[in-house]
Amino acid sequence: MSKKQFKSQASSSRAFSATFGEHNEGFGGGAGAALGFGSISSSPLSYIYEPPDLSQITESGAVVAFKNLQKKDSTTKTKALEGLQNHFTSLTVGKKEIGDAVLQAWIKIYPRTSIDNEPRVRQLAHTVQGQISISCGKRIAKFMPMVIGPWLAGTFDNDKRVMRAALNAFTQLFPSEEKQKNLWRIYQPSIIKYCRDVILKESIRSLSDERTTSPDDAKAKYARVTGSALLLVVSVLTNLSRENIDKEWDSYEKLLKNDQLWKLAAYDDSFVRRAVYRLLFVIINKEMEHAVDLETIGRHLLVEALPINQTGSAFEYAKTLARATVFCPELWTTYYIGSGKKAADKRLGQFLRRGSQGGPPEFWMQVKLLLEQIPLEVLAAGWNLHSGDSSETARVFHPVLLALREGVTRKDEHQSGQLDAWFSFLRLFELLLQQQELPIDKVSDLLHGTVWPVVEQYIRPNPKTMEWNITGPHRQEICVAATTIASKILPESFEQNWQRLSQDVIEDFQASLPEQSRDYLKSQDAIVHEINRWYKLQAAILCSNNTPASVESTLELANLSQVNAAIKSVSARNGKPYSCMAVLISAIQDVPEVTIQKDKTRSVLVEFAETGVTVLLTSPSLPYIITFLDELEKAGYAQGLRKATVDALLNSPESTGRTKSLETLLASQWLGDDIVSKQLLSFVEDKFQEFLQGNTQSRTLSLASIQNSAVPSSLLSHFLERITESLISQDKAEISLDALSIIFKYNIESLRRFLGSYLGSTLLLRLLELASDSKMPSAQQLNSSLYTYISEDTELQKSLKGDYLILMAKQLSTNDQVHASDETDPATTCNTKAYREFVNSADGFAFLSRVMALTGGDSKNKPSDAMTTTTAIHTLVTAGDRELGRFYLLTIELTENLKQIDSAEAANSPHRDGLHHQIVYYYNLIGNMLYNSIDVTENSHYPTKPEYIHLAQNIYGVLPGSESYLPFGAQRQLDLIQGYPELFASTAVLSEHLRLKDFPRMCNQYIGNISGLNFQKGNEALRQLMLLNGLLVRTADLLKNIPQPRIVFFVRHLVAALREHIQTPHIVVELFQCLSRTLASIKNIYGSVWAELLEQIMQIWSWQSRALTAQLPTVYSSVGLFSALRELWHEGSNDDLQDIFSKKQEDISISLVRLLKHQSDVEDEIYPRQETFNALLASVMRGQRIAQTTDIQEIYPILACDSPSLQQAAYQILLEIIPKAQEELSVEAALTQDFSVKLPEELLSLILASPMSLEIDVFNMQGSMPSVLRSYLLSWKLVFAHWTNSSYRLQTDYADSLKEGQYLNSLLDYTFEFLIGSRPRPIDASKYNLTQYDTDVYDSPEEETAALLVHLCYICMTHLPLLTKSWWRDQCPRQLQKRVEEWVEKYISSAVIHSELTTVLYWIPTHDTSDEPLEIRISPKAREITASFPLDDQFIAIAIRLPPAYPLHPVSVETA
């Protein structure tokens, strides 16, 4: 592109010269001549211009940049400006001057570049202008007349980035306010000339070439340039003094008195209109009215601008119109001229009917000011109240008033502007009445049809009169203003209409639905709300300073009639219409000055309270009666009626209504009142006792009383005493626990005081015992809640420290004290089955670890904190074994005594040794119980886990002088260890002596003994294996000092035993565990042992599902052994192992997938360590190559299981298989014409249910992400995995599948609700990896969820941009749309755009351009792809520009 183009440009320059001649005066006069522009001249902004002379420029880079700057393509211009910017920067750094030729070329090209359609071009143009001005210094002064106009106009550009760029460049050159004022003053002529030429001479066609610019872009450019020039004039008039303005008055007058300027007041661009209105506003404020022609203003500002759509300029228009009307009211009369014009009031109505048109709430304030200034004869011109037309509209409404009401009540009006809007309406009504001298009946009709509907619709909403509906928080204030106007204009009419409205309210509560009606409650509640509005409005009217004095008497009479009617209605209908009681309450509460403080009304209310209330106590009105009597007593009347009311209710006959009323009464504040009779308290106590005994009829009454926060502390203490007695006697414990839970929830302070008493400790202790029963989940839950509360209350802990533990010790101990000399071993009385379940559970181990934390490793650091000790005991008792708790508690007590004896005063106490002996004895009892509780026959999954061995070691190691107090002598330990039946003690002693010098010899001997062990001996063989496994897991170097032949013989012996005992699960488990720890020592040995082991493992994996479930520990151990074998296989040190694994790879893969499928169907409750096995299985699957014959359809359901480990394993398998399958499908699609494909139904079923319907609280997730949510999100990841390696045709089919089922909407709904909608600040997506999802790197489930959703959001926008944009446009909630757009633009769009541009970048080298030359350029900063190709003698360029919020907004395509 280059040389031909330049020649073409040169010839077009000659054509330009020939066409326009050489006699035109250049823009800027002498300055133009000084530049050497020649005599050829046109507008400096026109697209037709003489190119600058570049022949004198020596820098080739600058020449190229200036030539590119004259091209049509915006991207080319942008790069050219960036090049100039870099060029001038390099000159500044090298301390070189900008050449005169360069400066002259820039001055000529800057004005039209500064108004380019592309904002980036304009932004850079202003930046470069500032850079040149700063570099040139005073040299720029002589060129300022030519650039000052476009430069300052740029500071009013409607693009904020361009505006800031121009302003920054200007303030850098003129930083002080004084310099800026001098600039305005000195260059005022040039600025005004520029603005005048733009406004009066430029047009759409002069600024844009219609051949290359779309009509919309051309209009936008003209509006932007014209609006900026107008605002520049406004700024000049604002910044300069009147004296300086008068110096150039002729120039101003030529502009301001030109009709073409004021035609722009009705232009169809809001930016231009706003500028015109601001200009007129400033002119009037500057008192320059002689500068404008009033007829011209009247014609364009009123006749032409009033009826047009003012969206975007309504506020400025109303403000200017109001100011102009104040300045010259004759604009509406004398100067309101024009051919075929409508009347002024009709055009005003057209403007008001459109409402604020998106303007701020202050719009209506300006409308109010405007209406007050318009001549009254104009407003009242269309209101002929004396005509014979009897229609409602003609009789009541003026056209302007009707139009204003329609504008005020538009649905798009903002609620914050409603107050001023309705004030404008009411003010206009006042003004119209001032103009007319009307008879009273006419005025009354006007008030009835114009003002009172506002109040009536507020009090009694009616769908038929929604045109009078008021929205927003100021409804009551508007109604107060309406009634104030009505009362001032015609008091007689106010009284009449108020009585009418009061009667309507009376009819509403008198005609309310009966109790038998299905909508009875709905009807009563609606009337209660109506009554509340009615009396709240009265209260506001009385508080208003503008309310006439006569209003009070009107309200008093109306309320008296309402009170009488309400009492009559509620009495006649036996209290069923409780809305009538709401009348009495609201009358006293809201307007006491016109009700209870007036003699007539007060006597009626008091008489009803004394005589009429008692017969209504069993009715639905009782809650209101309670409030009514309370309000009367607060006002100082009807004292003592509450006690009489309670007595009357208690003495009333039994009925359903009486029970409900008593329940209501017990739930009220009366229960805690001192004046309430003892009869009520006695009644409540009796009912509570009946409730604890199982009387269901007393339940509701009792619950109502204990839920009441006002219940007296004495009564609540009585309740808690009865609960304690009930729990101790074990009579109806569930009921007592229910009552205690409610008290804990509603009256925690009273409960706290009770717990600090002796009976409180008894209550806690009994609760602990009940919580140990697995059939009492309510006791366990309540006990846990109470413990949490107590642990946070240090004061309460102090009060519990003594009693709580002592009482617990008494409850846990038997009457006979256990001594060391007892012949009966207390361990044998332990509930072995219950404790076995406890020991083999996670909770059991947590307790045992807690025991060690309490006892520590030092006799001087024994537990002394009451709550810590209580925690351990509570956990144990909850587990179901009181015996162990008893021994543990006694040991704690003995340790405390030992601590005292260890003090300096008692160092030589004769009881010291005895106490030591007792402590050792009780610890040994605990150890024996542990041993007896270990399951050595079935399900022996974790009997030798290292934590238990560590526990046993601590039990025998924490005591002072433990070596002397062990159950056998220290010298014989190593000799007796193999025969001692106590497994825990043996393991502890053996592990303690790992540091002995003779240990290698002992271990060698021990391995030899096991090598010859007969596994037919059952439990003895199992005991030996468990002991060995316990040692192997503790010490990795155990086998290093044992000769390898002995280990080989040992392993072969175990393999043979495995073959014989494959159906004996508890032996197989220990064999597998032992083999997995010893195989590494023989990894260089060849033979059949490797094949046999793999065969045995595969045999177990081939079991039926029922067997797999029943023998899960065996399966677990086999997977562990397989993992150990595979590690050796990966090392490659054994050829036999390599061969057998290579042959069995496919069978292994199929078996593992089958095992994975089986595990996904097993419930966690079947085995307590289920998830641990799942995690191991998932770990093994991650390193396994999946067979090609694997049925992918069987793996999808695994994603829906509850185990996160299995979900992740299935996800990894599918993530490996799916992309490989896409390659084959793409080839098949390319070869088959009618080929079509859809996403798998199994996968689509997993994304069918939206997470929004699951109501997952992701902010309170514990441990990990909920399985249902993980399943849903991982399934979406697999959906998008189908795009990997797939052809465009397949991707289109997959997108159609998602579009057909509308699956994407639910994902995006949940994604943006979680990331944006559900939180005050959106998630910061910059913290997460957009392009990929990393597992196991997040601190919380919420973090993991956010990371996965952010990643899915990015994929949606890269793979499904059209569907995503469609959701945002059509499905996204309106209140969320803007926030989504901003969030996507800030965090996602840049990465999506980078992905799109990178795709094109990788495609470019693969495209053959030998036949059709095609040049493709990518500009990441401009988010643009430009493709150019030669056509005839020119290059055609197509620019594709991605918006900042891509893909939510469409791309723009331009040609040049």
Side-chain angles (χ1 to χ4, degrees), residues 134-135 160 303 353 400 543 594 791 835 863 1069 1131 1136 1144 1167 1183 1219 1236 1272-1273 1330-1331 1340 1374 1445:
I134 294 172
S135 299
K160 291 184 178 180
V303 178
R353 186 173 284 108
V400 178
C543 292
V594 293
S791 63
Y835 193 65
V1069 168
E1131 292 180 10
D1136 288 348
K1144 294 288 186 179
Y1167 193 73
S1236 64
Y1272 179 81
L1273 298 181
L1330 294 181
T1331 57
S1340 66
R1374 180 176 297 179

Side-chain angles (χ1 to χ4, degrees), residues 1105-1118:
S1105 295
R1106 182 177 298 178
L1108 287 174
T1109 302
Q1111 303 299 335
L1112 195 58
T1114 304
V1115 182
Y1116 178 91
S1117 300
S1118 67

Side-chain angles (χ1 to χ4, degrees), residues 47 221 236 242 332 402 429 555 741 748 873 991 1066 1178 1258 1433:
Y47 75 92
K221 184 176 186 179
V236 172
R242 184 61 184 269
W332 295 90
L402 181 62
F429 177 75
L555 300 185
S741 299
I748 185 62
I873 298 173
S991 59
H1066 49 284
V1258 295
D1433 292 334

Side-chain angles (χ1 to χ4, degrees), residues 654 658-659 662 666 681-703 705 718-719 722-723 725-726 731-732 735-736 739:
E654 289 283 349
R658 176 180 181 271
T659 303
L662 284 170
L666 294 176
L681 298 179
S682 177
F683 171 79
V684 173
E685 292 174 359
D686 294 341
K687 289 297 178 182
F688 189 77
Q689 189 62 37
E690 293 176 5
F691 163 58
L692 294 180
Q693 293 174 358
N695 189 333
T696 56
Q697 296 179 354
S698 302
R699 173 181 172 80
T700 55
L701 294 175
S702 300
L703 294 183
S705 60
H718 175 80
F719 290 163
R722 301 289 80 78
I723 291 173
E725 293 173 1
S726 176
D731 185 23
K732 308 292 184 181
I735 299 175
S736 301

Side-chain angles (χ1 to χ4, degrees), residues 657-676:
R658 176 180 181 271
T659 303
K660 291 183 178 179
S661 296
L662 284 170
E663 182 181 344
T664 302
L665 183 63
L666 294 176
S668 71
Q669 296 297 315
W670 285 17
L671 186 61
D673 201 315
D674 294 337
I675 68 170
V676 176

Side-chain angles (χ1 to χ4, degrees), residues 171-230:
T171 53
Q172 285 178 2
L173 187 60
F174 306 100
S176 66
E177 186 176 351
E178 182 180 357
K179 287 185 177 181
Q180 293 176 12
K181 286 184 178 180
N182 290 333
L183 182 83
W184 288 103
R185 178 176 53 80
I186 295 171
Y187 292 104
Q188 181 185 192
S190 300
I191 296 172
I192 295 304
K193 184 179 186 306
Y194 168 81
C195 295
R196 188 179 67 240
D197 289 347
V198 168
I199 297 169
L200 303 182
K201 296 181 180 180
E202 298 296 351
S203 65
I204 295 176
R205 298 184 64 182
S206 69
L207 294 178
S208 302
D209 187 354
E210 61 184 1
R211 296 169 300 176
T212 59
T213 308
S214 67
D216 290 341
D217 287 345
K219 289 180 66 177
K221 184 176 186 179
Y222 172 75
R224 183 179 63 255
V225 174
T226 305
S228 300
L230 287 166

Side-chain angles (χ1 to χ4, degrees), residues 1048-1089:
V1048 171
F1049 180 76
F1050 171 71
V1051 169
R1052 287 176 175 170
H1053 180 69
L1054 294 183
V1055 172
L1058 181 65
R1059 191 186 312 112
E1060 297 175 3
H1061 298 278
I1062 193 65
Q1063 299 300 328
T1064 311
H1066 49 284
I1067 294 180
V1068 172
V1069 168
E1070 297 303 324
L1071 289 172
F1072 276 156
Q1073 290 187 0
C1074 195
L1075 285 167
S1076 63
R1077 298 179 180 115
T1078 54
L1079 288 179
S1081 300
I1082 63 167
K1083 60 183 179 182
N1084 298 322
I1085 302 301
Y1086 293 90
S1088 61
V1089 64

Side-chain angles (χ1 to χ4, degrees), residues 477-516:
E477 195 173 346
I478 295 168
C479 290
V480 170
T483 54
T484 302
I485 291 174
S487 63
K488 286 182 177 180
I489 292 176
L490 195 60
E492 299 84 355
S493 175
F494 172 80
E495 182 177 356
Q496 177 185 354
N497 282 284
W498 190 264
Q499 293 292 346
R500 175 181 57 80
L501 186 55
S502 175
Q503 189 59 39
D504 290 341
V505 174
I506 291 174
E507 291 176 1
D508 287 341
F509 63 70
Q510 285 180 338
S512 60
L513 295 177
E515 189 179 20
Q516 296 78 12

